[in-house]
Amino acid sequence: MTKRVFNFYPGPATLPLKVLEKARDEFLDFQGTGMSVMEISHRSKEWDKTMLEATDQVKRLMGVPDDYKIIWLGGGASTQFYMAPANLSLPGKKMEYVNTGTWATKAIKEAKLFGEVNVVASSEDEKFSYIPKDFKFNSGTSFAHITSNNTIYGTEWNYWPDVPSDVPLVCDMSSDLMAREVNVKDFGVIYAGAQKNLGPAGVTLVIVREDLLGRVSEKTPTMMKWKTHTDTESMFNTPPVFAVYICKLSLDYLEELGGVKAMEKMNREKAKLLYDAIDASDGFYKGHARKDSRSLMNVTFTMANPELEDKCAKEAAELDLIGLKGHRSVGGMRASIYNAMPLEGVKKLAQFMKDFQKRNQ
Amino acid sequence: MTKRVFNFYPGPATLPLKVLEKARDEFLDFQGTGMSVMEISHRSKEWDKTMLEATDQVKRLMGVPDDYKIIWLGGGASTQFYMAPANLSLPGKKMEYVNTGTWATKAIKEAKLFGEVNVVASSEDEKFSYIPKDFKFNSGTSFAHITSNNTIYGTEWNYWPDVPSDVPLVCDMSSDLMAREVNVKDFGVIYAGAQKNLGPAGVTLVIVREDLLGRVSEKTPTMMKWKTHTDTESMFNTPPVFAVYICKLSLDYLEELGGVKAMEKMNREKAKLLYDAIDASDGFYKGHARKDSRSLMNVTFTMANPELEDKCAKEAAELDLIGLKGHRSVGGMRASIYNAMPLEGVKKLAQFMKDFQKRNQ
């Protein structure tokens, strides 16, 4: 019997056991080809079919309208931090960003290399513990950019900001893609590194409204243009085949479970268990995020006595609850409970938190 | 018993069976962590150790001097087609390229976005069937670029061109990295997509001489700068963990076999078997590459009667010899026999070629 822990790492993160078992079972022989999926030509009919199916699944699961294109790209969301402005910035027009944490800050830094950036709102004043509300995006800009979920601070947008009709909303959805229902039509572009909710590190999904593909300058390197990849069904160069394959198995799994709506329901239930444990602790645990900005994906908290945090993480690990230390830049504790984290794991963690409090209060 | 074919695909390509079996066996539990290697945090000590070891193995296997840095990067060699000039081109200085085929042509196209390019030699006049010899790289340029092996045309450099002492030689070694001994000191930069000789698609290895890292403009996006990645041991963002892991298992395997020297010996033996079958066929098979430019990795040939080519590929496939059709842009036949192709597979193919000739002459 293989050992299996509950993995609360923030990404790369836990994957559904069923996905791993399926991938293992056909690891040496993909669909009867006598080859591993890693070994098969990306131009073979078996691979072509798999990749097109994965794209169709994304469309189905997210209800992607017909005038949007799907791209599977090597690299991570950090690559999109410069590809987004390279593809979308218009000469003489500003780009507008909301700064809700470390990744938004990095995205802003890269955008500045492509033109003037206006940060219309930021929660840096309160250690990124909330999602700003009182701001507005301006008309006449290239695009508006937000980060839907902030893994390090444990905040998440629970509303979508208004954008003027001439401005596409661009969203880094790396850490909550397909964790809850969204209306793709509200966005011009959605991009997401796969390694939190979808699959392994090494592939990024980009969903882009077709009319935006015409903006890119001819002076942009071929691989940097989204259009290169939409024109070739993400097969301009060799795609990260294995990573896409694991995403496809995860999408199969998500469809079996009932899709994004069913997943959102489970995610809300999981998050509630942990936030309830925090809120009922009389200050023993203290949530980092404001209640109205709490993330369904990353539950961040500190302890009234910070010296207990190491002990807490260590004792949790002894019970096979792994990866609970906060990001090295902020400290504290963090439980990442993406789509693939089973309810059972969250229940076990909530119980442990109560027990740990009793023993250490 | 799992079905296993001999896979002559040009990349993604066959991997050592031992590597696949090891990866499968620990697929759900990496080093006793109770997590798949895909699920483990890239900041965990287990992963950190694996990645640093893989880097050390590259250094050992290739004899990389101390003043060179190793980078593992997401994406493929196509990404390096623009990253190389972005990192190396100096204001007002030309870049010089030798055009030996499709990939070199693509590299040249991207370089032109960063400055003036001088193509000092090309074999396009003869369908890229040879490696040019009578040319020279000029002093006072940013860099000189070659493509060591040309997968589509089946040619390979069997000498390294002289470069002026002020000019670094940059080499796209995607399809023959670690297939034969090279003196890294002869190069300023070597880059290679992994999916031919090293691992799965989705990771690229860059070996760069340290003094060249200072050239890059501050206006270059962070992820595009090699220096970003050398400064962080390739951990600036989440690396493509699984792809690096498979590369590491391949490096283990290569070390067990006796390293690059032993591998080169086997590769020469394998290539000779197929070229001998071509040369002994009295024109039934016709090698595409000139004899002095023949690739050890991709054996390309046509048939005197082109109508037989489909039949040949089909009958080979019935014997589990897969992927022998030439690239869609050139037609003909191609047997890709990278490091991981066993001698046994090549022997079987050589025998089949003789038998097929007898039956169809």
Side-chain angles (χ1 to χ4, degrees):
Chain A
M1 178 73 188
T2 306
K3 179 186 166 192
R4 188 88 185 137
V5 300
F6 290 113
N7 165 6
F8 294 92
Y9 277 133
T14 195
L15 288 164
L17 183 57
K18 218 173 152 177
V19 165
L20 295 174
E21 285 172 342
K22 164 97 173 153
R24 178 199 57 197
D25 293 346
E26 63 179 13
F27 197 70
L28 266 71
D29 185 7
F30 175 64
Q31 299 184 352
T33 57
M35 294 172 261
S36 171
V37 66
M38 289 188 291
E39 303 178 297
I40 199 169
S41 169
H42 61 297
R43 306 283 175 197
S44 66
K45 63 180 189 307
E46 292 89 356
W47 178 253
D48 201 46
K49 187 165 167 281
T50 304
M51 187 114 172
L52 292 175
E53 269 178 19
T55 300
D56 280 348
Q57 282 175 301
V58 172
K59 288 183 186 166
R60 271 201 305 274
L61 281 160
M62 295 186 66
V64 179
D66 287 343
D67 57 336
Y68 285 70
K69 295 280 187 183
I70 310 276
I71 317 176
W72 300 93
L73 270 182
S78 297
T79 307
Q80 298 308 312
F81 293 166
Y82 72 85
M83 278 180 68
N87 279 276
L88 296 173
S89 66
L90 294 165
K93 289 196 173 183
K94 287 183 192 172
M95 298 165 271
E96 295 197 322
Y97 280 69
V98 177
N99 189 1
T100 50
T102 306
W103 302 105
T105 303
K106 290 191 184 213
I108 290 164
K109 184 182 167 211
E110 302 309 308
K112 284 180 178 167
L113 300 168
F114 293 85
E116 202 178 333
V117 172
N118 185 21
V119 178
V120 296
S122 167
S123 51
E124 195 171 5
D125 57 338
E126 300 273 355
K127 290 188 187 160
F128 295 118
S129 59
Y130 67 98
I131 300 295
K133 276 190 177 144
D134 299 323
F135 71 93
K136 74 182 196 59
F137 285 118
N138 295 295
S139 183
T141 67
S142 288
F143 61 88
H145 185 285
I146 62 171
T147 311
S148 58
N149 181 72
N150 301 280
T151 51
I152 293 178
Y153 300 95
T155 63
E156 191 172 15
W157 291 75
N158 61 22
Y159 78 103
W160 301 122
D162 285 332
V163 282
S165 61
D166 63 321
V167 175
L169 182 60
V170 178
C171 185
D172 174 2
M173 230 175 250
S174 292
S175 49
D176 63 357
L177 187 85
M178 298 194 211
R180 54 177 174 161
E181 289 192 294
V182 301
N183 190 351
V184 175
K185 257 210 150 3
D186 291 341
F187 302 88
V189 178
I190 292 169
Y191 63 87
Q195 70 269 23
K196 315 221 179 233
N197 265 328
L198 200 56
V203 63
T204 297
L205 194 69
V206 182
I207 303 172
V208 51
R209 210 175 63 214
E210 242 176 334
D211 65 291
L212 299 171
L213 295 168
R215 290 188 176 193
V216 71
S217 152
E218 278 312 303
K219 288 179 188 162
T220 306
T222 309
M223 282 288 289
M224 276 173 65
K225 294 178 188 168
W226 288 331
K227 194 169 185 320
T228 299
H229 306 287
T230 57
D231 283 350
T232 54
E233 306 274 9
S234 305
M235 297 277 272
F236 172 74
N237 71 327
T238 316
V241 171
F242 191 78
V244 175
Y245 160 76
I246 296 291
C247 290
K248 200 232 168 287
L249 296 185
S250 290
L251 295 169
D252 289 346
Y253 180 74
L254 184 52
E255 289 200 310
E256 272 171 45
L257 280 187
V260 176
K261 190 173 183 171
M263 183 56 78
E264 176 171 351
K265 188 164 170 278
M266 197 174 85
N267 284 334
R268 292 198 181 279
E269 190 180 346
K270 289 184 322 196
K272 187 172 184 304
L273 283 170
L274 298 185
Y275 287 120
D276 281 354
I278 291 169
D279 293 341
S281 76
D282 270 333
F284 183 82
Y285 301 111
K286 190 165 172 283
H288 175 76
R290 282 193 198 164
K291 286 191 180 179
D292 68 355
S293 303
R294 281 177 165 175
S295 167
L296 293 176
M297 301 281 99
N298 311 94
V299 178
T300 52
F301 56 98
T302 53
M303 299 178 69
N305 175 1
E307 284 173 14
L308 284 176
E309 287 169 3
D310 272 353
K311 190 181 175 202
C312 182
K314 196 165 160 271
E315 288 186 16
E318 282 160 13
L319 294 174
D320 288 340
L321 303 164
I322 304 293
L324 289 164
K325 281 192 136 183
H327 189 270
R328 64 200 188 290
S329 66
V330 293
M333 311 284 289
R334 169 175 53 177
S336 297
I337 49 173
Y338 300 116
N339 282 2
M341 169 58 66
L343 181 61
E344 188 196 349
V346 178
K347 281 185 178 163
K348 189 172 170 183
L349 173 58
Q351 189 57 53
F352 165 77
M353 286 171 69
K354 286 170 204 162
D355 296 345
F356 184 82
Q357 181 179 358
K358 261 186 220 154
R359 289 198 306 274
N360 292 281
Q361 209 156 22
Chain B
M1 176 75 188
T2 306
K3 180 186 166 191
R4 188 85 186 141
V5 300
F6 290 112
N7 165 5
F8 294 92
Y9 277 133
T14 195
L15 288 164
L17 182 57
K18 219 172 152 179
V19 166
L20 295 174
E21 286 172 343
K22 165 98 171 150
R24 179 199 56 198
D25 293 347
E26 63 179 14
F27 196 70
L28 266 70
D29 185 7
F30 175 63
Q31 299 183 353
T33 56
M35 292 172 262
S36 171
V37 66
M38 288 189 292
E39 301 179 297
I40 199 168
S41 169
H42 62 298
R43 306 282 175 197
S44 66
K45 63 180 190 304
E46 292 88 355
W47 178 253
D48 202 46
K49 188 166 166 278
T50 304
M51 187 113 170
L52 292 175
E53 270 179 17
T55 300
D56 280 346
Q57 282 176 299
V58 172
K59 288 183 187 166
R60 270 201 304 275
L61 280 161
M62 293 185 68
V64 179
D66 287 343
D67 57 335
Y68 285 71
K69 295 279 187 184
I70 310 276
I71 317 174
W72 300 91
L73 270 182
S78 297
T79 307
Q80 298 308 313
F81 293 166
Y82 72 84
M83 278 180 68
N87 279 277
L88 297 172
S89 66
L90 295 165
K93 289 195 174 183
K94 287 184 192 172
M95 298 164 271
E96 296 197 319
Y97 280 69
V98 177
N99 189 0
T100 50
T102 306
W103 302 104
T105 304
K106 290 190 183 212
I108 289 164
K109 183 182 169 212
E110 301 309 308
K112 285 180 178 169
L113 300 167
F114 293 85
E116 202 179 333
V117 173
N118 185 22
V119 178
V120 296
S122 167
S123 50
E124 196 172 5
D125 57 339
E126 300 273 355
K127 291 187 186 162
F128 295 118
S129 59
Y130 67 98
I131 300 295
K133 276 190 177 145
D134 299 322
F135 71 91
K136 72 183 197 60
F137 285 119
N138 295 295
S139 184
T141 67
S142 288
F143 61 87
H145 184 285
I146 61 171
T147 311
S148 57
N149 181 72
N150 301 280
T151 51
I152 294 178
Y153 300 95
T155 63
E156 191 173 16
W157 292 75
N158 61 22
Y159 78 102
W160 301 122
D162 285 332
V163 281
S165 60
D166 63 321
V167 176
L169 182 60
V170 178
C171 185
D172 174 1
M173 229 176 252
S174 292
S175 48
D176 63 356
L177 187 85
M178 298 194 210
R180 54 175 173 163
E181 289 192 294
V182 301
N183 190 350
V184 174
K185 258 212 150 1
D186 291 341
F187 303 89
V189 178
I190 292 169
Y191 63 87
Q195 70 269 20
K196 307 203 184 252
N197 265 327
L198 201 56
V203 63
T204 297
L205 193 69
V206 182
I207 304 172
V208 52
R209 210 175 63 213
E210 241 176 334
D211 64 293
L212 299 171
L213 295 168
R215 291 188 175 193
V216 71
S217 152
E218 277 313 303
K219 288 179 188 159
T220 307
T222 310
M223 283 288 288
M224 275 173 66
K225 294 177 187 169
W226 288 331
K227 194 169 184 326
T228 298
H229 306 288
T230 58
D231 283 350
T232 54
E233 306 274 9
S234 306
M235 297 277 273
F236 172 74
N237 72 326
T238 316
V241 171
F242 190 78
V244 176
Y245 160 76
I246 296 290
C247 289
K248 201 235 167 286
L249 296 185
S250 290
L251 295 169
D252 290 345
Y253 181 73
L254 185 52
E255 289 199 311
E256 273 170 45
L257 280 186
V260 177
K261 190 174 183 171
M263 184 54 79
E264 176 171 350
K265 188 165 170 275
M266 198 174 84
N267 284 335
R268 291 198 182 278
E269 190 180 348
K270 289 183 325 196
K272 187 172 185 303
L273 282 170
L274 297 185
Y275 287 121
D276 281 354
I278 291 169
D279 293 341
S281 77
D282 270 333
F284 183 82
Y285 301 112
K286 190 166 172 283
H288 175 73
R290 282 194 199 164
K291 286 192 179 176
D292 67 356
S293 303
R294 280 176 165 176
S295 166
L296 291 176
M297 301 282 99
N298 311 94
V299 178
T300 51
F301 56 97
T302 53
M303 298 178 68
N305 175 2
E307 285 173 14
L308 285 176
E309 287 169 3
D310 271 354
K311 191 182 175 199
C312 182
K314 197 165 161 272
E315 289 186 16
E318 283 161 12
L319 295 173
D320 287 339
L321 303 164
I322 305 293
L324 289 164
K325 279 191 137 184
H327 190 268
R328 63 201 188 291
S329 65
V330 293
M333 311 284 288
R334 170 175 53 176
S336 296
I337 50 174
Y338 300 117
N339 282 1
M341 169 57 66
L343 182 60
E344 188 195 348
V346 178
K347 279 185 177 163
K348 188 172 170 183
L349 174 58
Q351 187 58 52
F352 165 77
M353 286 171 70
K354 286 171 203 162
D355 295 345
F356 184 82
Q357 180 179 358
K358 260 186 218 154
R359 289 197 306 276
N360 292 280
Q361 208 156 22

